[in-house]
Amino acid sequence: MNTEITPYQEKVWLFEDQTKAIQVTDQASLTRASELLLAGKDLEKTIRAYFAPLKQNAHASWKGICDRENLELSRVTPITERLNRAAADYR
């Protein structure tokens, strides 16, 4: 299990704590809720920015694996198809 704290994790904990008891009942609480909403949107951007390069690297790795798989299959598949046709022609 990964127990590393990400750069934004403390902000998430603080955000969760600040928003647990918020109830919009007057102008002051509406203002506070609006501030927290903006803070939450900024936090979402921070989290997306953190994961973007990780996802890009994972996608590039996946693409490389798929390309290699397709290369290997392109060598074998025509042979199995030819053998399949030959067996079907014989039958």
Side-chain angles (χ1 to χ4, degrees):
M1 182 166 107
N2 188 356
T3 58
E4 176 185 332
I5 296 176
T6 57
Y8 58 81
Q9 189 62 56
E10 289 181 11
K11 291 180 182 180
V12 170
W13 292 329
L14 180 61
F15 182 73
E16 288 173 330
D17 287 342
Q18 291 174 334
T19 59
K20 279 182 184 173
I22 190 97
Q23 297 216 0
V24 179
T25 57
D26 57 16
Q27 185 59 45
S29 59
L30 175 62
T31 300
R32 181 66 181 140
S34 297
E35 292 168 349
L36 288 170
L37 179 60
L38 291 175
K41 294 295 183 180
D42 285 342
L43 189 52
E44 288 174 354
K45 289 178 188 174
T46 300
I47 293 168
R48 284 189 179 94
Y50 177 82
F51 282 98
L54 300 174
K55 291 176 1 181
Q56 288 170 345
N57 290 339
H59 180 74
S61 294
W62 172 81
K63 177 113 175 63
I65 291 168
C66 289
D67 290 346
R68 179 63 189 263
E69 176 187 34
N70 289 333
L71 173 67
E72 299 302 332
L73 287 172
S74 73
R75 297 170 61 201
V76 174
T77 302
I79 297 168
T80 59
E81 288 173 350
R82 181 178 51 82
L83 291 172
N84 193 32
R85 278 192 310 274
D89 289 347
Y90 173 78
R91 284 189 213 123

